[in-house]
């Protein structure tokens, strides 16, 4: 279940400004319930202005799992001095009444996500929990429900790259390659470099290449084991059918027999599939080791 960050109940308490007089209540006491980020900012500070909207948006997408309190470091100089704030922006995380972590400067959104997720620990935010659930559904073959959950996540966090990639992967699993391509084509360039998005785009590019009659290809290989084109097509067909490991093994066999075939096409296609599946996937790790052995 995703908690609506725009819901009226307690929404105003997620992000607030504080002063020296209210710091104890807004930060120290509040951090006994959930982690509280304290953003020390200063007037005329451009990095502070850059950080503010990104940090606020991320906190809103966490569904109440973490709060943000903003404080003018010049006006609250005693607190800033006590916490040894050297420059602004500086952001502390308070838990159970104590500062437990901090960073300086306007970090990019990806690093801010990592910082926040670190503070939330294993439980993660409602968004993180929903992402994990959606991935489980997709991995189990329930692409329709996975896609629905990914879409719900995007309603609360429109720029979430993992959810966007999940929608595209779900389209591919449902056979809607055109829908997946349309999403990919309309993505901003900065999102396309994200590892989740790049992996999904690689999957889209490969999708549809496996619409082949595997029995016919297998017959060709039985007649001529060195028919590399037939083996290549079989590998792509197996991959397209969801049999990633079997498909990769066929491509690996081509590399073993003739790496230079078709301008190193088999090895390059393997690298593309590795990216599509994900470099930390057990199948990828296993096959990459075999490929390394063959090459070196």
């Amino acid at each position: 279940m995703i908690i609506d960050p725009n819901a009226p109940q307690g929404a105003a308490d997620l992000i607030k400004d504080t002063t020296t007089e209210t710091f104890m209540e807004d930060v120290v006491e509040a951090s006994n319930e959930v982690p509280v980020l304290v953003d020390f900012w200063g007037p005329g500070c451009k990095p502070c202005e850059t950080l503010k909207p990104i940090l606020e948006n991320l906190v809103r997408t966490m569904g109440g799992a973490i709060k943000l309190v903003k404080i003018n470091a010049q006006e609250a100089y005693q607190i800033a001095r006590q916490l040894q704030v050297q420059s602004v922006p500086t952001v502390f995380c308070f838990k159970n009444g104590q500062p437990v972590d901090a960073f300086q400067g306007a970090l990019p959104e990806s690093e801010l996500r990592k910082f926040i997720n670190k503070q939330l620990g294993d439980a993660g935010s409602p968004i993180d929990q929903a992402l994990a659930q959606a991935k489980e559904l997709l991995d189990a073959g329930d692409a329709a429900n996975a896609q629905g959950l990914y879409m719900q996540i995007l309603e609360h966090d429109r720029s979430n790259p993992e959810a966007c990639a999940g929608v595209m992967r779900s389209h591919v699993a449902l056979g809607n390659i055109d829908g997946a391509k349309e999403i990919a084509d309309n993505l901003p360039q900065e999102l396309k470099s994200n590892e989740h998005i790049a992996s999904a785009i690689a999957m889209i590019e490969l999708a549809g290449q496996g619409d082949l009659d595997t029995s016919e290809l297998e017959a060709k290989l039985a007649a001529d084991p060195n028919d590399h084109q037939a083996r290549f097509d079989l590998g792509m067909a197996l991959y397209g059918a969801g049999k990633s490991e079997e498909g990769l093994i066929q491509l690996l066999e081509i590399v073993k027999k003739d790496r230079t075939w078709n301008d190193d096409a088999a090895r390059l296609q393997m690298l593309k599939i590795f990216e599509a599946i994900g470099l930390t996937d057990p199948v990828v790790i296993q096959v990459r080791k075999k490929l390394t052995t063959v090459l070196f």
Side-chain angles (χ1 to χ4, degrees), residues 167-233:
V167 172
M168 290 190 288
R169 287 178 178 275
S170 300
H171 272 303
V172 172
L174 292 168
N176 184 14
I177 310 302
D178 290 340
K181 285 182 178 178
E182 183 178 356
I183 294 173
D185 291 342
N186 289 302
L187 286 174
Q189 194 58 43
E190 60 269 20
L191 263 184
K192 291 184 179 181
S193 61
N194 176 272
E195 58 181 0
H196 297 291
I197 300 293
S199 175
I201 290 175
M203 174 175 281
I204 293 168
E205 291 175 352
L206 291 171
Q209 296 183 27
D211 294 335
L212 301 167
D213 185 344
T214 57
S215 62
E216 182 178 336
L217 292 169
E218 289 165 359
K220 286 184 178 181
L221 284 173
D224 181 7
N226 291 319
D227 186 341
H228 298 323
Q229 185 62 58
R231 191 176 298 279
F232 184 90
D233 291 342

Side-chain angles (χ1 to χ4, degrees), residues 30-296:
S31 70
N32 289 315
E33 299 177 2
V34 296
V36 177
L37 299 179
V38 184
D39 177 16
F40 284 90
W41 62 277
C45 167
K46 290 186 178 180
C48 298
E49 295 172 1
T50 299
L51 177 66
K52 177 185 173 182
I54 303 174
L55 195 55
E56 288 183 355
N57 181 62
L58 286 175
V59 168
R60 290 190 184 99
T61 66
M62 294 298 153
I66 195 166
K67 294 183 178 181
L68 172 64
V69 172
K70 297 169 290 182
I71 187 166
N72 187 323
Q74 292 183 9
E75 295 178 356
Y77 65 91
Q78 292 180 329
I79 295 175
R81 184 172 57 187
Q82 183 179 354
L83 290 171
Q84 300 181 347
V85 174
Q86 301 296 320
S87 62
V88 291
T90 293
V91 176
F92 283 86
C93 179
F94 274 71
K95 290 182 182 180
N96 299 317
Q98 298 293 328
V100 295
D101 206 350
F103 68 84
Q104 292 181 340
L107 299 182
E109 182 175 344
S110 59
E111 293 301 315
L112 289 174
R113 284 185 184 276
K114 291 179 182 177
F115 182 83
I116 291 175
N117 288 335
K118 177 183 175 184
Q119 312 314 318
L120 296 176
D122 294 336
S125 70
I127 294 290
D128 293 329
Q129 295 172 28
L131 284 169
Q133 182 181 353
K135 185 178 184 302
E136 287 181 6
L137 288 169
L138 188 57
D139 290 345
D142 190 354
N145 282 321
Q147 186 177 77
L149 189 50
Y150 280 127
M151 292 297 293
Q152 288 184 47
I153 294 168
L154 288 174
E155 289 178 6
H156 298 274
D157 185 2
R158 294 179 183 177
S159 62
N160 190 293
E162 191 172 348
C164 185
V167 172
M168 290 190 288
R169 287 178 178 275
S170 300
H171 272 303
V172 172
L174 292 168
N176 184 14
I177 310 302
D178 290 340
K181 285 182 178 178
E182 183 178 356
I183 294 173
D185 291 342
N186 289 302
L187 286 174
Q189 194 58 43
E190 60 269 20
L191 263 184
K192 291 184 179 181
S193 61
N194 176 272
E195 58 181 0
H196 297 291
I197 300 293
S199 175
I201 290 175
M203 174 175 281
I204 293 168
E205 291 175 352
L206 291 171
Q209 296 183 27
D211 294 335
L212 301 167
D213 185 344
T214 57
S215 62
E216 182 178 336
L217 292 169
E218 289 165 359
K220 286 184 178 181
L221 284 173
D224 181 7
N226 291 319
D227 186 341
H228 298 323
Q229 185 62 58
R231 191 176 298 279
F232 184 90
D233 291 342
L234 176 60
M236 295 311 301
L238 290 169
Y239 173 78
K243 299 178 180 180
S244 302
E245 184 173 3
E246 292 92 329
L248 284 167
I249 293 300
Q250 293 296 333
L251 296 175
L252 180 62
E253 186 64 22
I254 298 174
V255 178
K256 287 180 181 179
K257 290 177 177 291
D258 183 2
R259 174 178 170 177
T260 62
W261 175 78
N262 199 16
D263 294 328
D264 204 13
R267 183 186 66 86
L268 294 175
Q269 196 66 272
M270 289 181 74
L271 297 180
K272 207 168 189 180
I273 293 176
F274 289 163
E275 184 180 0
I277 299 174
L279 298 181
T280 59
D281 186 276
V283 169
V284 171
I285 293 172
Q286 180 182 359
V287 178
R288 281 184 72 186
K289 289 180 180 178
K290 292 181 180 180
L291 178 61
T292 301
T293 301
V294 170
L295 295 177
F296 303 102

